[in-house]
Amino acid sequence: MFDADGKPLLVFGECHGQLVDLPDGRVVLVHDLRYPYEKQATIGRVSDDGGKTWSRDIYHVSAGGGYAASVALEDGTIVTVTGNTRIDSAAKPIEPWSVQAVRWKLD
């Protein structure tokens, strides 16, 4: 995954992604940011050219991580279901395991 200048965007620990096609032609990659453990998050990245290049902008969908799955609705709203349990630096949960659904839309 590269930006328009050909520079790589993904770093160690960005994984478990899913692509979502939006009605306006953009593509969104929703995936987990796993490291450092205590900063886990579900994030989204956007491509305006069918996945050839990607924006450096990051959409923070949820704190915590957990194998996100998303769908796009007809109006461009994205619905993401993901785990959102936060863990400490030793990868131990600091709160009960939980799941959430997030409705969000790109600018």
Side-chain angles (χ1 to χ4, degrees), residues 15 28-45 58-70 78-87 95-105:
C15 56
V28 177
L29 172 65
V30 179
H31 63 96
D32 289 342
L33 175 61
R34 293 287 175 108
Y35 302 103
Y37 288 126
E38 62 274 13
K39 293 186 179 180
Q40 278 193 345
T42 299
I43 61 175
R45 295 181 183 267
I58 295 173
Y59 291 82
H60 289 270
V61 179
S62 174
Y67 302 94
S70 300
I78 302 164
V79 178
T80 300
V81 176
T82 185
N84 67 331
T85 302
R86 295 181 309 123
I87 58 178
E95 58 190 19
W97 292 104
S98 61
V99 174
Q100 71 176 351
V102 179
R103 289 177 59 106
W104 57 291
K105 202 166 189 177

Side-chain angles (χ1 to χ4, degrees), residues 1-11 14 27 29 31 45-57:
M1 170 180 269
F2 300 94
D3 67 11
D5 295 326
K7 295 179 182 172
L9 291 172
L10 296 179
V11 297
E14 294 190 40
V27 178
L29 172 65
H31 63 96
R45 295 181 183 267
V46 181
S47 173
D48 292 322
D49 59 9
K52 292 177 186 162
T53 62
W54 296 84
S55 170
R56 288 201 164 273
D57 295 334

